Each structure stands twice: as C-alpha cells, then as structure tokens.
Amino acid sequence: MKLILVSMMALFLSTACVVEKSPFKEGKILGGKEVSAKTLNLGYTTYVEYCIQCHGMDGKGNGPAALGLLPPPRDFTQGLYKFPWVNYGELPHDEDFVRIIRHGLKGTAMLPWDISNERLDAVIQYIKVFAPEVWEGKDKTLGTKLELPADPFGDTYRHQAIEKGRKVYHVTAACTQCHRGYATKEEINGWAKELGTTVDIGADLHQLKSQDGEYNYKVLPPDFTYHDLRSITDVPSIVQRLMYGVTGSGMPGWKDVVTDEELWALAYYVQDLRETGADNKRRNELMDKLNGKK
Ligand code: HEC
Ligand code: HEC
C-alpha cells in the first residue's frame, strides 16, 4: 500500500514537472511593454497545445514534426523574423505577428491559425520569452513603420507599370543578383542601353541563387512564376515587402534605393509574373523564349 502511494506520488511529481500549467509567477517587460504572468501562462499553454510540435519545447524550431521541413520552423531563440512590416532587422509590432500567424506563411508548413484573440495575443508574448536579449527590458524599441506611398499607376496604367517594372527588375535594381531573370540577355542589354547604363549579366541569369543569410540553412529566393510567396496577397503587400526586405535572408529593403514609382512598378511586375505562373500556356511561352526555343 505504502509502495503504491509512493509510486503514485512520484508519478504525480514527474508529470507535474513535464506539464507545469503556470510556469510564470511574475510578469515581464517585453518590447518595452508590461506583460502579466497570467498572459504568459496562457501563452505557454497555447504554445504547448499548437506550436510545440514544430517550434519545439525550447523554441529552437526542433519539435518532432520539424524533421525534413524546408524551410524549417523558425528558431525563436534567434529573435529574427522575416515577414513583419518593419525595417530590416528591427523588432516586429504585435500587429505584425497577428497578421503572420492569422494568415500563415504560404508555401511552408506554417499554416494560418484560427485561435481566439486572447490566446493569439498570449502566444505572441510567450514566443518573445525565447529571445530575452532581444525582447526583455524597458530599453527595447519596436521597428519603424513606413507609410505606404500612393499608387501612381492604378488599374488604368497597370500595363505601363508592368513594362517599367520589368526594366527596373532586370536593370536598375538588378533583382537577378539573387532571383532569376525573366528576360533574355539581349532584352536586358537593350533596356540598359535605353536607360543609359550597363548591367552585369552572369551565366546564372536564369537560376535562383540560394543565400546564406542569418538562419542555419540556405534560403532560396522564390521563382515568382513557380513558388508560393510567404507574405504576399496583392500588389500593395508586395510594395510593403519590398520597402522592408526579408530580415535575415539577405533580401534588403528597397525604400529610398529606388523611387516610390519604381517600387510600385516592381510590385505590378512581380504580380504579373505570379499571374503568368498560374497560367500554364503563358508560363510555357515565357520559358520557351528564355530557353531559346522561339
Ligand atoms: C507544422 C509546423 C508548424 C506549426 C505547428 C507552427 N509553425 Fe510557425 N513556422 C513554421 C515554419 C516552417 C516557419 C518558417 C517559415 C519560413 O521561414 O518561411 C514558421 C515560422 C513562424 C514564425 C516566424 C514568422 C517570421 O516572420 O519570420 C512565427 C512567429 C511562427 N511561426 C509562429 C507560430 C505559432 C505562434 C504557432 C502556434 C500557434 C506556430 N508557429 C505553429 C512551422 C510551424
Ligand atoms: C541579396 C539577395 C536578394 C536580392 C538582391 C533580392 N531578393 Fe527578393 N528575396 C531574396 C530571398 C532569399 C527571398 C526569400 C526569403 C524567404 O522566403 O525566406 C526573397 C523573397 C522575395 C519576395 C517574396 C516575399 C514573400 O513574402 O515570400 C519578393 C516579392 C521579392 N523577394 C522580390 C524582390 C525584388 C523585386 C527584388 C529587386 C528589387 C529582390 N527581391 C531582390 C533575396 C533577394
């Protein structure tokens, strides 16, 4: 009898250690904001319920379901986030996490999460705890939000926007340093001449150049006619992405590097490439041209 009691106690104690319901006794200051112990505890249980299988108990992105995933689940101890709308390398606002977690990251294992607002806010606070040096303390400031410039084209001038975007993409901004090109060498040289400049065209023009970045794996720039884009829904969301870049992946922000008009032109062009990709006939025609079959 005594033995049973002792072993039951031991069992109780060991499970109590594994699934501690309320690990936080005190609140924390995260990103300059006070967060209560109650919120952190709710965040913890939400995380254990929904996120742990990929992001892992210790937040390192090594949960049991992470095996073989590409891209791998984010390691939250790095405190690096790719898709907020803040300048490259700066800290996301809670509204960024809300957008990312509610929409998911298309083309990855990170699905959209339909959890209550209260649990969503709580889990957002909790994942910050994995990167204390990045988030904890009163001195931490959140990233800069830039104003979305007005669209100089609109639907009426969409066609002109795409034509301009094509030249900015291949010549002015040389996005092909990392992404693939969608034009022939001759076309690109022709546009460079028209714009009064020259451009270096590598033998890898039509290949994706994977980037070392700051994560522990090579990050592949998407082919806009082939891959899903993580954080993109429409043309304005492409402008947002281009303004800020993709933190840690090597893709810089383009605000002030190109003009606002060029930003919008690029976004219309990228959107057109996505539409080309969704239409087999259009994509095949483009690829045949690039492969010299036409
Ligand atoms: C089935 C696996 C899976 C589950 C479950 C999962 N995630 Fe993710 N998550 C991912 C992957 C994969 C990425 C990396 C995507 C990338 O790098 O493009 C990611 C990235 C993230 C990011 C980083 C976003 C950025 O901008 O860099 C956040 C924040 C995040 N997840 C939060 C959560 C939360 C909160 C939960 C639970 C509610 C959750 N995830 C559940 C797979 C998962
Ligand atoms: C230094 C390399 C580099 C350059 C230069 C670069 N990109 Fe990227 N870009 C990347 C990488 C890497 C990714 C993939 C990030 C990820 O998903 O982790 C990316 C992703 C993107 C995305 C998708 C974002 C999403 O939500 O999935 C768009 C759109 C994009 N780039 C457009 C451009 C345009 C337009 C240019 C030129 C103005 C450009 N990029 C220049 C490396 C680069």
Side-chain angles (χ1 to χ4, degrees):
M1 186 64 189
K2 215 174 177 184
L3 196 72
I4 296 177
L5 223 110
V6 169
S7 55
M8 271 179 71
M9 277 287 283
L11 191 74
F12 173 75
L13 279 174
S14 64
T15 45
C17 288
V18 177
V19 229
E20 160 92 78
K21 277 268 159 35
S22 310
F24 296 94
K25 306 290 175 235
E26 283 173 16
K28 285 181 187 289
I29 298 181
L30 297 166
K33 183 177 96 168
E34 270 186 56
V35 181
S36 70
K38 184 167 169 259
T39 299
L40 290 173
N41 285 322
L42 178 65
Y44 169 78
T45 47
T46 305
Y47 184 84
V48 169
E49 204 169 323
Y50 300 115
C51 320
I52 207 169
Q53 61 272 38
C54 288
H55 291 285
M57 187 67 197
D58 56 5
K60 289 198 159 174
N62 56 0
L67 208 70
L69 288 186
L70 202 72
R74 187 60 33 76
D75 173 352
F76 292 136
T77 65
Q78 282 193 297
L80 278 177
Y81 312 92
K82 288 181 188 173
F83 300 108
W85 289 348
V86 295
N87 280 338
Y88 196 100
E90 296 183 346
L91 285 187
H93 294 238
D94 285 352
E95 69 192 62
D96 290 304
F97 284 121
V98 169
R99 192 184 58 249
I100 291 164
I101 299 167
R102 281 251 181 266
H103 288 195
L105 296 170
K106 222 165 167 234
T108 79
M110 175 69 194
L111 300 176
W113 290 93
D114 184 16
I115 51 180
S116 74
N117 287 338
E118 197 191 1
R119 294 195 89 176
L120 179 59
D121 175 63
V123 79
I124 288 168
Q125 307 315 322
Y126 178 67
I127 59 179
K128 296 174 188 171
V129 174
F130 290 120
E133 62 297 343
V134 173
W135 286 102
E136 277 187 30
K138 288 194 173 137
D139 58 332
K140 299 296 189 293
T141 46
L142 304 183
T144 312
K145 295 258 174 217
L146 304 170
E147 205 174 318
L148 185 71
D151 178 357
F153 301 103
D155 234 21
T156 328
Y157 297 102
R158 188 171 167 272
H159 195 67
Q160 281 89 324
I162 295 167
E163 287 310 309
K164 189 180 171 82
R166 205 190 306 278
K167 296 174 191 170
V168 180
Y169 182 93
H170 292 95
V171 180
T172 322
C175 308
T176 51
Q177 272 171 49
C178 302
H179 293 269
R180 58 163 300 167
Y182 302 91
T184 61
K185 269 189 187 179
E186 294 70 37
E187 284 174 310
I188 298 171
N189 281 326
W191 296 327
K193 211 166 160 195
E194 198 184 303
L195 296 168
T197 177
T198 54
V199 61
D200 265 341
I201 305 176
D204 55 4
L205 172 66
H206 295 131
Q207 283 155 26
L208 307 171
K209 297 89 178 167
S210 67
Q211 301 293 307
D212 284 331
E214 294 174 58
Y215 304 97
N216 301 318
Y217 65 96
K218 296 231 178 211
V219 186
L220 194 69
D223 175 343
F224 305 114
T225 69
Y226 188 76
H227 294 112
D228 281 325
L229 303 186
R230 313 291 188 244
S231 67
I232 305 298
T233 47
D234 51 11
V235 174
S237 68
I238 303 176
V239 177
Q240 297 271 19
R241 186 80 287 134
L242 293 179
M243 288 202 300
Y244 299 120
V246 181
T247 291
S249 79
M251 161 131 156
W254 296 90
K255 175 85 183 153
D256 301 332
V257 179
V258 298
T259 66
D260 288 351
E261 196 192 22
E262 286 169 336
L263 270 182
W264 278 93
L266 281 167
Y268 275 101
Y269 177 56
V270 169
Q271 180 65 8
D272 186 60
L273 288 170
R274 296 177 78 208
E275 286 165 16
T276 303
D279 179 337
N280 268 342
K281 189 165 162 277
R282 274 182 73 188
R283 184 169 199 272
N284 288 342
E285 276 171 13
L286 175 64
M287 294 305 146
D288 283 351
K289 185 180 85 179
L290 301 186
N291 294 331
K293 288 193 192 150
K294 263 187 196 166

